[in-house]
């Protein structure tokens, strides 16, 4: 055998990679040194150096890497970590990944040993500078090895990696005592709930050992993050989302601390074991591992806050409705938003949610108002500064302003019979009366005064320090911008309630009035005080007139009790007329004379449409007592005197428009006592008449409309009164536009305020008046200005 053949044989023994073999035989240091001397003598050191390096790269590229990725064939779709029932008991894919990594690590270690031998056989001192590519062969190889491996990654490689870490986390979670309900999916009692294998053949310890060794090998090759980083991230994020989803529908307790504790004690411990070779204790010198764990903790903590915040925001409408029972969830959301800076997203999301759930024609105004008040309470606790609150609730406030019955709903909720949020807020005024003086405290530091902050964080801090709470009633009053319209509507509502009183016991109204005086001031509610005083005075006057001294009770067919009001303090009554039957009018006149005798120089002007009448109806042998309005009672009297009436004749008799009379006849039609025999001809029902029986059958199919008359208000609404009050400005507006030709809205508003400073009105109210005149063709609006039409 020639020397060259012997040399070649020895080279292949020391560097089997030259023949594409990735398994080496043991050699001694002396043999490596002898080979070095031979290569020096033959002057082929540089040649052998380049040959070995090239062959290692070629073997890695065309053999090692394809062989490794061949294990990652596409698998059938598997369940995610949230439902790993598919993989429970079938851990084949787990061990496939372990075998692939072990095989790769074996070849990686082989190449590293080859490089160590190369350092002895071909030392750096014997290699020319232009030949040696890197100052460190091992570092150069490691970089090249990773690049070749990652460059050939198949599309589906992450499937096997994800399954490996899902199974490993499952075993870890149960091994260390975390009871995750979604993992308990093995019904057989003889199977391990962690690995899914029969208990005698439990693979938990084997999986734990394989998991540790696999991560260690990937870490040593520098491939842990490139190959498994995405799967670990995705699994961790998914586990957080699953854990957060368990908190849904349970907003009465805080979940943030338990979630953070779970994150630190379970998820981060699992990740620490991955990157710290199975140990939970990271040594001080392991800076890289410390940095990786710190980065993971920060990233997962932020994802936890974001996921939990989104889960709360998705159900925030239910949280608002059930507040304050859901206060813990609101507090948790506050902490989350502080950490992840999602205030803008929160405002947009909640505003759209409230608009979708509340602001459409299918929702009653009272329900919208209830939702609005609940939102004010919830968001007021969430943001004491009111910065976010005003932004979120502005669309609701604008929508409520456009509904005509909003004011009535607000006032009814404030002072109604049933319990409501607004009534509770009004009751709080009794213990927290606002100061009516403008005097500032003596210790006010004017030099340190600052305007209200625009920054949310600063505003919240300042509000918390000051102990500021949201004034719910003030926010509701802001819907219309002024207190007057609410006070006027309350005056109307109070008048209707007082008119409906029969026993003259207005104690509840007096309590409501005292609470409202604390809120709106005594001056604005002075008229209401007079109204209540009229009730007490009326009781005293009635007792005198109908008593023995008054002489009124002699020769009268029925009892009469009058409510005597001071017209200048009561709301405007609807301008409707009705002539009472002569027998009734006679009693009214006698009462007036008794009053004039009791109160010198005073008289009474009756409003016959207001009040209640107790009557007894006898029909077909049945006697029934009813409480009706004066108009309904007058109709009954006329039909008792005459069994049929033409609509026009009865309207003339009662001095009432026919269209209004027809509406009031519906009440008795609904009770089956009157029917329309022909068009505009109403007759008293005779039960023996066949047509009457047919009418009764038809009557049972009609809607009950008797409530319509009773709920009809005797007063003009506050909005109607306000509109009439502001109509007096029309003459001023006409004069302005005659002299100045055209003016914008704000200029007209400024000039009117100069002429009518005693009347407080907003620019929106003026705009409504002007737009109404435009619709009536009394004004022209073009180019942002108003002008009179050209004649």
């Amino acid at each position: 055998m020639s020397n060259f053949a012997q040399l070649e044989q020895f080279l292949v023994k020391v560097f089997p990679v030259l023949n594409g073999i990735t398994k080496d035989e043991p050699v001694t240091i002396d043999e490596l040194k002898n080979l070095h001397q031979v290569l020096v003598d033959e002057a082929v050191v540089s040649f052998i150096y380049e040959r070995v390096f090239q062959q290692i790269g070629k073997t890695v590229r065309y053999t090692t890497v394809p062989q490794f990725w061949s294990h990652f064939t596409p698998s059938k779709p598997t369940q995610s970590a949230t439902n790993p029932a598919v993989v429970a008991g079938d851990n084949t894919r787990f061990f496939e990944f372990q075998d692939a990594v072990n095989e790769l690590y074996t070849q990686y270690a082989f190449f590293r040993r080859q490089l160590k031998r190369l350092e002895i056989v071909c030392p750096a001192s014997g290699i020319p500078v232009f030949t040696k590519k890197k100052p460190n062969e091992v570092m150069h190889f490691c970089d090249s090895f990773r690049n070749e491996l990652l460059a050939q990654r198949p599309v589906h490689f992450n499937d096997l990696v994800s399954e490996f870490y899902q199974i490993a986390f499952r075993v870890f979670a149960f091994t260390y005592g975390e009871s995750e309900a979604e993992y308990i999916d093995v019904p057989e009692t003889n199977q391990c709930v962690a690995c899914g294998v029969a208990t005698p053949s439990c693979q938990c310890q084997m999986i734990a050992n394989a998991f540790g060794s696999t991560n260690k090998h990937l870490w040593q090759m520098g491939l842990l993050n490139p190959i498994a980083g995405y799967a670990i991230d995705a699994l961790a994020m998914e586990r957080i989302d699953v854990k957060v989803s368990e908190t849904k529908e349970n907003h009465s307790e805080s979940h943030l601390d338990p979630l953070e504790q779970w994150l630190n004690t379970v998820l981060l411990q699992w990740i620490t074991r991955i990157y710290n070779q199975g140990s939970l204790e990271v040594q001080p010198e392991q800076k890289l591992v410390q940095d990786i764990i710190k980065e993971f903790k920060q990233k997962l903590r932020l994802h936890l806050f974001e996921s939990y915040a989104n889960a709360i925001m998705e159900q925030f409408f239910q949280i608002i409705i059930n507040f304050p029972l859901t206060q813990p969830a609101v507090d948790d959301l506050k902490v989350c938003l502080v950490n992840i800076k999602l205030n803008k997203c929160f405002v947009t999301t909640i505003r759209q949610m409230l608009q979708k759930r509340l602001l459409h024609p299918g929702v009653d105004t009272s329900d919208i108002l209830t939702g609005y008040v609940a939102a004010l309470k919830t968001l007021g606790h969430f943001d004491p500064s009111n910065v976010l609150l005003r932004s979120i609730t502005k669309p609701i406030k604008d929508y409520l302003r456009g509904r005509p019955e909003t004011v009535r709903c607000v006032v009814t909720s404030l002072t109604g019979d049933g319990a409501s949020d607004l009534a509770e807020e009004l009751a709080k005024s009794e213990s927290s009366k606002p100061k009516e003086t403008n005097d500032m405290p003596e210790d006010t530091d004017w030099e340190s005064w600052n305007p209200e902050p625009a920054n949310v964080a600063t505003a919240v801090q300042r509000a918390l320090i000051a102990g500021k709470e949201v004034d719910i009633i003030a926010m509701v009053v802001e819907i219309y911008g002024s207190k007057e319209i609410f006070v006027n509507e309350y005056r109307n509502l109070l008048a209707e309630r007082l008119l409906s009183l029969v026993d003259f016991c207005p104690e509840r109204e007096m309590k409501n009035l005292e609470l409202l005086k604390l809120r709106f001031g005594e001056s604005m509610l002075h008229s209401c005080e007079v109204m209540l005083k009229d009730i007490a005075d009326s009781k005293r006057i009635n007792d005198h007139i109908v008593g023995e001294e008054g002489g009124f009770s002699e020769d009268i067919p029925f009892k009469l009790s009058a409510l005597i009001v001071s017209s200048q303090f009561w709301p405007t009554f609807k301008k409707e007329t009705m002539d009472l039957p002569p027998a009734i009018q006679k009693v009214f006149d006698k009462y007036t004379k008794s009053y004039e005798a009791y109160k010198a120089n005073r008289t009474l002007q009756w409003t016959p449409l207001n009040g209640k009448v107790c009557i007894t109806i006898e029909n077909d042998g049945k006697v029934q007592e009813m409480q009706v309005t004066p108009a309904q009672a007058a109709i009954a009297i006329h039909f008792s005197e005459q069994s049929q009436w033409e609509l026009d004749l009865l309207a003339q008799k009662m001095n009432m428009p026919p269209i209004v009379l027809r509406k009031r006849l519906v009440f008795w039609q609904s009770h089956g006592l009157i029917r329309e025999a022909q068009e505009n001809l109403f007759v008293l029902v005779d039960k023996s008449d066949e047509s009457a029986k047919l009418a009764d059958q038809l009557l049972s199919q009609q809607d009950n409309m008797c409530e319509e008359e009773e709920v009809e208000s005797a007063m003009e609404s506050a909005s109607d009164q306000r509109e009439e009050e502001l109509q007096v400005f029309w003459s001023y507006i006409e004069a302005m536009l005659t002299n100045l030709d055209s003016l914008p809205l704000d200029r007209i508003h400024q000039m009117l305020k100069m002429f009518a400073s005693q009347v407080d009105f907003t620019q929106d109210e003026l705009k409504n008046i002007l737009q109404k005149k435009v619709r009536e063709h009394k004004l022209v609006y073009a180019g942002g200005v108003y002008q009179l039409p050209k004649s």
Side-chain angles (χ1 to χ4, degrees):
M1 183 180 295
S2 63
N3 291 336
F4 179 78
Q6 292 179 352
L7 176 60
E8 184 68 21
Q9 185 178 3
F10 192 45
L11 278 172
V12 171
K13 178 183 178 181
V14 176
F15 300 108
V17 71
L18 294 175
N19 278 350
I21 300 173
T22 56
K23 184 176 181 181
D24 53 2
E25 300 178 11
V27 294
T28 64
I29 297 295
D30 291 337
E31 288 178 322
L32 295 178
K33 290 181 178 180
N34 292 335
L35 178 60
H36 167 67
Q37 189 60 46
V38 173
L39 296 180
V40 171
D41 295 341
E42 296 292 336
V44 292
V45 175
S46 297
F47 173 75
I48 296 301
Y49 175 85
E50 289 186 347
R51 183 182 172 191
V52 172
F53 241 109
Q54 290 175 357
Q55 190 61 38
I56 289 176
K58 186 177 180 180
T59 304
V60 168
R61 177 179 300 173
Y62 296 108
T63 303
T64 302
V65 171
Q67 185 177 346
F68 173 73
W69 289 124
S70 66
H71 295 278
F72 295 79
T73 56
S75 60
K76 295 181 180 180
T78 59
Q79 298 290 338
S80 64
T82 58
N83 185 16
V86 174
V87 298
D90 183 9
N91 302 318
T92 304
R93 301 276 289 173
F94 177 90
F95 293 110
E96 284 182 5
F97 182 72
Q98 181 207 9
D99 294 340
V101 174
N102 286 343
E103 182 182 287
L104 180 66
Y105 181 76
T106 299
Q107 297 193 29
Y108 173 82
F110 164 75
F111 293 129
R112 289 288 300 267
R113 291 194 299 272
Q114 293 284 281
L115 292 175
K116 290 293 184 183
R117 293 179 181 183
L118 188 62
E119 289 179 0
I120 298 175
V121 175
C122 301
S125 58
I127 306 299
V129 177
F130 61 86
T131 301
K132 190 168 183 178
K133 298 179 180 179
K134 293 288 182 182
N136 189 317
E137 288 83 358
V138 176
M139 182 179 296
H140 174 72
F141 163 75
C142 291
D143 291 341
S144 176
F145 182 81
R146 284 192 295 269
N147 291 338
E148 289 290 349
L149 190 75
L150 299 177
Q152 298 185 36
R153 281 181 298 187
V155 176
H156 303 286
F157 87 96
N158 202 53
D159 293 343
L160 184 59
V161 181
S162 298
E163 290 183 46
F164 176 83
Y165 283 96
Q166 288 171 16
I167 295 173
F169 182 80
R170 177 192 177 95
V171 172
F172 174 84
F174 279 100
T175 301
Y176 289 90
E178 189 213 4
S179 299
E180 301 214 1
E182 69 274 12
Y183 277 165
I184 304 178
D185 48 33
V186 183
E188 293 80 359
T189 56
N190 64 336
Q191 288 188 343
C192 175
V193 294
C195 64
V197 180
T199 304
S201 305
C202 178
Q203 297 179 344
C204 287
Q205 189 59 48
M206 188 186 305
I207 289 174
N209 295 337
F211 183 64
S213 63
T214 302
N215 289 322
K216 181 179 180 180
H217 291 160
L218 289 173
W219 176 264
Q220 291 176 348
M221 290 185 290
L223 294 172
L224 184 56
N225 267 335
I227 289 181
Y230 175 79
I232 296 172
D233 269 357
L235 179 61
M237 301 293 185
E238 190 177 21
R239 293 305 312 141
I240 290 174
D241 293 340
V242 170
K243 200 70 180 177
V244 167
S245 67
E246 296 174 2
T247 66
K248 289 184 177 180
E249 308 299 337
N250 183 12
H251 304 299
S252 58
E253 59 184 58
S254 174
H255 300 286
L256 196 55
D257 289 341
L259 285 173
E260 287 196 84
Q261 183 179 5
W262 169 84
L263 179 67
N264 294 327
T265 58
V266 178
L267 201 55
L268 283 177
Q269 284 189 9
W270 182 66
I271 292 174
T272 302
R273 289 178 182 272
I274 293 175
Y275 288 92
N276 198 35
Q277 301 183 15
S279 175
L280 288 177
E281 296 183 6
V282 182
Q283 301 300 324
E285 63 272 12
Q286 295 177 299
K287 297 295 183 182
L288 179 58
V289 176
Q290 290 178 356
D291 292 341
I292 291 175
I293 301 302
K294 182 179 179 181
E295 182 181 353
F296 257 107
K297 182 176 182 179
Q298 182 179 4
K299 178 168 56 177
L300 295 181
R301 189 168 180 267
L302 291 177
H303 182 76
L304 173 65
F305 286 139
E306 183 177 356
S307 180
Y308 188 42
N310 288 331
I312 294 176
M313 286 192 289
E314 286 177 3
Q315 299 178 313
F316 206 73
F317 187 79
Q318 287 76 17
I319 291 174
I320 287 175
I321 298 301
N322 296 318
F323 190 84
L325 295 177
T326 56
Q327 180 176 329
V330 178
D331 292 334
D332 284 352
L333 180 60
K334 189 188 307 183
V335 175
C336 291
L337 295 186
V338 168
N339 283 275
I340 57 180
K341 310 297 182 185
L342 280 179
N343 284 338
K344 185 175 181 180
C345 175
F346 170 75
V347 170
T348 304
T349 302
I350 304 306
R351 182 193 295 160
Q352 292 176 349
M353 180 182 295
L354 291 174
Q355 287 178 300
K356 181 179 179 181
R357 299 296 292 271
L358 294 177
L359 307 189
H360 54 83
V363 183
D364 292 337
T365 302
S366 58
D367 294 333
I368 299 176
L369 184 62
T370 300
Y372 178 59
V373 173
L376 292 178
K377 282 187 172 183
T378 308
L379 296 172
H381 176 79
F382 178 83
D383 171 30
S385 69
N386 296 350
V387 176
L388 297 180
L389 182 149
R390 292 181 183 276
S391 177
I392 292 173
T393 59
K394 185 179 183 300
I396 306 179
K397 187 169 67 173
D398 295 341
Y399 186 84
L400 283 172
R401 188 184 298 122
R403 284 205 170 188
E405 67 273 18
T406 297
V407 181
R408 174 57 62 99
C409 288
V410 171
V411 175
T412 303
S413 182
L414 276 171
T415 61
D417 294 330
S420 68
D421 291 336
L422 283 180
E424 292 177 4
E425 292 297 323
L426 182 62
K428 292 180 182 179
S429 304
E430 194 169 11
S431 58
S432 57
K433 180 180 178 180
K435 295 182 179 180
E436 296 184 5
T437 177
N438 292 328
D439 297 336
M440 297 301 294
E442 295 181 358
D443 58 349
T444 300
D445 186 1
W446 292 100
E447 294 182 355
S448 63
W449 178 87
N450 287 310
E452 286 296 325
N455 180 270
V456 175
T458 306
V460 171
Q461 292 172 2
R462 188 179 300 182
L464 291 174
I465 293 174
K468 182 179 179 182
E469 295 184 358
V470 176
D471 190 339
I472 302 296
I473 295 180
M475 295 289 290
V476 172
V477 170
E478 281 185 7
I479 293 176
Y480 284 90
S482 66
K483 300 177 182 179
E484 286 77 5
I485 191 167
F486 287 93
V487 172
N488 290 337
E489 188 64 43
Y490 169 68
R491 195 160 64 109
N492 284 350
L493 186 63
L494 177 62
E496 292 178 8
R497 288 175 177 170
L498 295 180
L499 289 174
S500 65
L501 288 177
V502 178
D503 55 359
F504 293 102
C505 295
E507 285 80 6
R508 182 174 61 85
E509 302 299 341
M510 295 176 65
K511 180 180 178 181
N512 288 336
L513 178 60
E514 291 301 320
L515 292 175
L516 290 172
K517 284 163 62 177
L518 294 176
R519 171 63 61 174
F520 297 105
E522 294 190 9
S523 59
M524 297 186 67
L525 293 163
H526 176 65
S527 296
C528 297
E529 282 190 289
V530 175
M531 292 164 63
L532 288 174
K533 183 176 180 298
D534 286 344
I535 297 295
D537 292 345
S538 296
K539 180 176 176 56
R540 178 174 50 81
I541 293 172
N542 272 288
D543 290 342
H544 174 79
I545 292 178
V546 301
E548 295 180 358
E549 298 179 0
F552 170 74
S553 301
E554 299 176 0
D555 301 328
I556 61 171
F558 57 87
K559 294 182 180 180
L560 175 63
S561 180
L563 173 59
I564 303 170
V565 303
S566 305
S567 58
Q568 65 268 34
F569 293 99
W570 283 66
T572 305
F573 289 91
K574 286 186 175 179
K575 300 175 178 62
E576 295 184 14
T577 60
M578 182 184 72
D579 290 343
L580 294 171
I584 306 298
Q585 186 63 47
K586 182 179 179 181
V587 177
F588 276 45
D589 293 340
K590 185 175 182 180
Y591 190 98
T592 302
K593 292 179 180 180
S594 299
Y595 178 80
E596 291 173 347
Y598 179 63
K599 291 282 188 178
N601 300 325
R602 294 188 184 182
T603 188
L604 297 178
Q605 291 183 353
W606 295 90
T607 57
L609 284 173
N610 300 320
K612 294 293 181 182
V613 180
C614 293
I615 62 175
T616 301
I617 299 293
E618 182 179 355
N619 183 36
D620 196 25
K622 296 180 180 180
V623 178
Q624 181 182 5
E625 291 187 357
M626 303 179 66
Q627 187 180 83
V628 297
T629 64
Q632 293 164 353
I635 292 173
I637 292 174
H638 286 300
F639 273 92
S640 67
E641 297 173 351
Q642 181 176 320
S643 61
Q644 68 177 23
W645 286 90
E646 290 185 4
L647 181 64
D648 292 339
L649 291 177
L650 183 58
Q652 185 178 1
K653 181 79 173 179
M654 297 180 63
N655 190 21
M656 183 180 295
I659 189 172
V660 177
L661 177 59
R662 174 180 284 276
K663 180 180 177 182
R664 291 192 164 100
L665 284 168
V666 170
F667 175 82
W668 294 114
Q669 285 181 277
S670 65
H671 282 79
L673 299 178
I674 295 176
R675 65 184 180 87
E676 189 172 4
Q678 300 176 9
E679 185 177 0
N680 294 332
L681 177 63
F682 293 87
V683 300
L684 193 65
V685 173
D686 184 1
K687 294 297 182 179
S688 61
D689 189 5
E690 292 296 329
S691 61
K693 295 179 181 180
L694 180 61
D696 287 342
Q697 295 176 2
L698 296 175
L699 181 66
S700 62
Q701 303 175 4
Q702 297 177 357
D703 293 332
N704 190 349
M705 304 174 61
C706 62
E707 296 293 334
E708 182 178 357
E709 181 72 20
E710 296 182 3
V711 299
E712 184 180 358
S713 174
M715 306 294 171
E716 290 185 350
S717 66
S719 57
D720 292 338
Q721 295 178 40
R722 182 65 169 171
E723 186 173 347
E724 290 181 6
E725 181 181 347
L726 296 179
Q727 287 296 330
V728 299
F729 295 137
W730 174 238
S731 59
Y732 290 102
I733 297 172
E734 282 187 306
M736 290 179 200
L737 297 178
T738 301
N739 295 329
L740 300 176
D741 188 45
S742 62
L743 287 172
L745 175 65
D746 56 348
R747 180 63 176 157
I748 297 175
H749 184 252
Q750 292 173 4
M751 295 180 69
L752 285 177
K753 294 287 284 186
M754 294 173 58
F755 290 111
S757 58
Q758 73 278 7
V759 180
D760 186 19
F761 61 97
T762 65
Q763 190 166 303
D764 288 337
E765 290 177 320
L766 175 61
K767 182 179 179 181
N768 290 335
I769 294 176
L770 296 179
Q771 291 299 115
K772 184 176 180 180
K773 295 300 180 182
V774 171
R775 291 192 295 270
E776 295 174 355
H777 304 291
K778 296 181 180 180
L779 276 182
V780 175
Y781 179 74
V785 296
Y786 293 92
Q787 57 185 355
L788 296 173
K790 304 297 183 182
S791 57

